[in-house]
Amino acid sequence: MKPNDSNYHGQKANKAYFSVSQYKDFMKCEAMAMAKIRGEYKQPMTRALLVGSFVDAYFEGTLKQFMDEHPEIFTKKEALRAEFKKANEIIARVKRDELFMKFMSGEKQKILTAEMFGVKWKIKIDSYCEGVCITDLKVVRNFKSIPFWRYDIQGAVYQEITRINTGTRLPFYLAAATKEKVTDFDIFQIPQDTLDFALSEVSGNIERYAAVKSGEVEPAPCGECDYCKSIKSARIRSYNELGGI
């Protein structure tokens, strides 16, 4: 199957292709990643995630559809909840900035596929400026939180899949805006050496993840994520494990 706008996030596409989000799932917990692929576990959609999706939908031109599909963003009086009023403020603020909007002016949600490191991958680019750059839109708590989310991995995979398709290695940028009381926003370029290191990390991990995904290797549970807690059985443990003694 070939991923498109309607099936990109579907179970068949997720079984057939790796994506950056799926790769990160394997990094966190192989058992959780496999449960999601099999359709046995769905990660809850938090309001924090919905705020980012709200802003994404605006730039995609699908905000009305998004609002229709997510009635939880409204109060009982059918007014936007505070978090989504803030999302509208973020949109209004970055729209006034010429540089920010320049980086968001490319082809929206461009889907590309390729084989990399022996497995099939799919990516969906927020703003693709052909021959110029790749930009991903991020709405974050603050700028200091950005490295925690390992966007260097996303940039590395997006850059390499684009290179395989076009023959050109494009710079990767984050168009980032914060949810702070006064919205901060900037364009962050991830340096090439950082992208190269992240891609080598993917190369080193993907063989095992692919073996787990194909059923050749048993997935390792992390024992700490929500999925692992949801399937665990009680065991006897030492009180001293809890620390403070």
Side-chain angles (χ1 to χ4, degrees):
M1 65 166 297
K2 191 77 170 175
N4 55 42
D5 287 332
S6 62
N7 66 19
Y8 184 87
H9 296 290
Q11 193 174 349
K12 287 185 178 179
N14 289 335
K15 284 182 178 180
Y17 294 86
F18 270 89
S19 64
V20 171
S21 59
Q22 187 179 102
Y23 174 87
K24 287 183 178 181
D25 282 345
F26 275 99
M27 287 178 66
K28 294 173 190 172
C29 178
E30 294 174 358
M32 177 270 290
M34 288 304 299
K36 286 176 74 171
I37 290 168
R38 292 191 296 260
E40 298 168 358
Y41 176 71
K42 188 173 183 179
Q43 193 167 340
M45 178 62 78
T46 65
R47 285 192 188 172
L49 290 173
L50 277 173
V51 168
S53 297
F54 185 102
V55 179
D56 283 340
Y58 171 81
F59 281 96
E60 291 171 25
T62 60
L63 185 56
K64 185 181 184 306
Q65 178 184 341
F66 176 86
M67 295 171 77
D68 290 342
E69 292 174 354
H70 294 278
E72 64 270 32
I73 72 175
F74 296 99
T75 66
K76 290 180 179 178
K77 294 182 179 180
E78 298 186 355
L80 277 176
R81 295 187 182 276
E83 302 96 318
F84 303 98
K85 288 180 181 177
K86 180 61 183 178
N88 269 334
E89 290 177 16
I90 293 170
I91 291 167
R93 183 65 188 93
V94 299
K95 278 176 64 179
R96 299 200 302 269
D97 190 84
E98 184 178 349
L99 182 65
F100 198 98
M101 295 305 292
K102 179 180 179 181
F103 276 85
M104 290 305 301
S105 66
E107 181 181 349
K108 305 298 190 294
Q109 302 301 310
K110 183 173 181 63
I111 295 173
L112 293 173
T113 62
E115 183 171 313
M116 181 175 72
F117 307 134
V119 300
K120 294 193 295 184
W121 292 79
K122 60 185 173 80
I123 64 172
K124 201 172 191 183
I125 303 172
D126 283 346
S127 177
Y128 173 68
C129 294
E130 185 174 358
V132 178
C133 68
I134 301 163
T135 303
D136 203 76
L137 175 66
K138 299 298 181 190
V139 177
V140 295
R141 186 172 70 252
N142 53 51
F143 287 156
K144 289 183 180 179
S145 69
I146 289 177
F148 171 80
W149 297 104
R150 295 300 312 271
Y151 296 135
D152 56 326
I153 292 174
Q154 181 177 3
V157 171
Y158 280 30
Q159 183 187 69
E160 183 61 8
I161 297 301
T162 302
R163 186 199 65 77
I164 292 170
N165 277 270
T166 67
T168 303
R169 188 165 75 170
L170 300 178
F172 180 84
Y173 296 89
L174 298 173
T178 73
K179 303 175 192 174
E180 295 167 303
K181 184 176 180 180
V182 177
T183 297
D184 202 355
F185 58 99
D186 272 314
I187 308 297
F188 292 90
Q189 181 176 5
I190 300 184
Q192 191 57 50
D193 60 347
T194 302
L195 296 174
D196 291 343
F197 184 82
L199 193 65
S200 70
E201 183 181 343
V202 174
S203 174
N205 291 333
I206 198 64
E207 184 177 356
R208 174 179 170 82
Y209 295 164
V212 172
K213 187 174 180 179
S214 68
E216 298 172 37
V217 176
E218 280 293 310
C222 72
E224 298 179 355
C225 70
D226 288 348
Y227 172 73
C228 285
K229 291 178 199 175
S230 74
I231 62 168
K232 71 175 286 185
S233 299
R235 59 191 175 92
I236 297 173
R237 300 167 63 181
S238 169
Y239 172 81
N240 291 349
E241 285 182 53
L242 301 176
I245 297 177

